[in-house]
Amino acid sequence: MATTGKVKAAIVGCGDRSLGGYFPYVGQVFDLVAACDEIGERAKQMARIFEADAYYDSVDTLLAKQDVDVVIILTNMASHGEIALKCVQAGKHVMLQKPFCTDMETGLAVVKTAREKNLKILVEPNYWINPIYIKAKEILQEGHIGPVHVALARTERGWIPKWGGKTFYEEAGGGMLFDMGVYQVSALVYLLGPAES
């Protein structure tokens, strides 16, 4: 693939989530230079289909060998923090699926390293760019409904995720809070600000 002048991106995690708008979109907006998955054959196929320059079966190899500006992390939830930390340590911007991390220590290390290296981290869900939430925040800030004393958020999942019940319910970093609850927590923090206690 010829140099396009676009931001060079690599996708790490070539499973179900990667097809939900990532590979097709990233290939149009960025210069998709690599696909990476611990199942090497899956990374190879995604690189072929979406015309990435290279494929890898290891994040370490990707970071050591590939010229890339941003790494898009779409792996299992428990691995997000470790991979994000490796990426920022290597001087790469990061975009990742929720949750950002599943433990506070790793999350703080990622943020600290990114700040030191002047790197950007974008975590989905990103309510601050959703027009509905932007308008809701304006309404709250302008005082149209008065002070907020209580906020109620609810989430549910009436089905087992495609990636498997054992992983979702039993593995470290799985479960409803990390998978679905993060949406409500993120929305409330965006609308009302961080929790004071």
Side-chain angles (χ1 to χ4, degrees):
M1 192 181 285
T3 302
T4 62
K6 295 180 179 178
V7 171
K8 295 185 288 283
I11 293 179
V12 176
C14 298
D16 177 63
R17 191 77 234 131
S18 72
L19 290 170
Y22 286 96
F23 267 110
Y25 179 78
V26 169
Q28 291 174 15
V29 176
F30 301 97
D31 183 1
L32 178 61
V33 296
C36 179
D37 194 285
E38 62 185 9
I39 300 172
E41 186 59 32
R42 186 158 59 182
K44 180 179 180 180
Q45 291 303 320
M46 297 304 262
R48 180 186 60 79
I49 292 167
F50 293 100
E51 300 178 337
D53 296 335
Y55 65 91
Y56 302 93
D57 63 5
S58 154
V59 173
D60 295 328
T61 307
L62 163 73
L63 294 172
K65 291 187 172 182
Q66 189 68 52
D67 179 21
V68 62
D69 301 310
V70 62
V71 178
I72 300 167
I73 302 170
L74 308 174
T75 56
N76 69 72
M77 295 186 294
S79 69
H80 289 181
E82 176 188 349
I83 295 171
L85 185 57
K86 287 180 179 186
C87 292
V88 294
Q89 287 171 338
K92 311 304 179 191
H93 300 287
V94 172
M95 200 233 72
L96 64 158
Q97 261 287 318
K98 51 79 182 170
F100 169 52
C101 291
T102 56
D103 70 275
M104 184 67 78
E105 184 177 315
T106 305
L108 291 172
V110 173
V111 171
K112 180 178 184 286
T113 305
R115 285 180 176 161
E116 289 170 354
K117 293 179 176 272
N118 198 30
L119 297 169
K120 303 290 184 201
I121 303 170
L122 174 65
V123 184
E124 296 190 272
N126 44 15
Y127 289 104
W128 54 89
I129 62 173
N130 182 317
I132 293 170
Y133 282 88
I134 292 170
K135 186 63 179 175
K137 187 166 185 163
E138 285 175 16
I139 290 168
L140 287 167
Q141 288 176 331
E142 292 168 2
H144 294 293
I145 66 169
V148 177
H149 297 285
V150 175
L152 176 65
R154 178 180 172 206
T155 191
E156 60 186 57
R157 186 191 281 275
W159 47 275
I160 295 173
K162 291 179 187 176
W163 33 271
K166 180 170 174 51
T167 301
F168 180 69
Y169 292 110
E170 299 175 23
E171 298 287 324
M176 282 298 288
L177 179 61
F178 289 131
D179 183 45
M180 299 300 293
V182 68
Y183 290 103
Q184 285 67 29
V185 172
S186 295
L188 289 171
V189 169
Y190 171 69
L191 292 171
L192 303 174
E196 295 179 12
S197 63

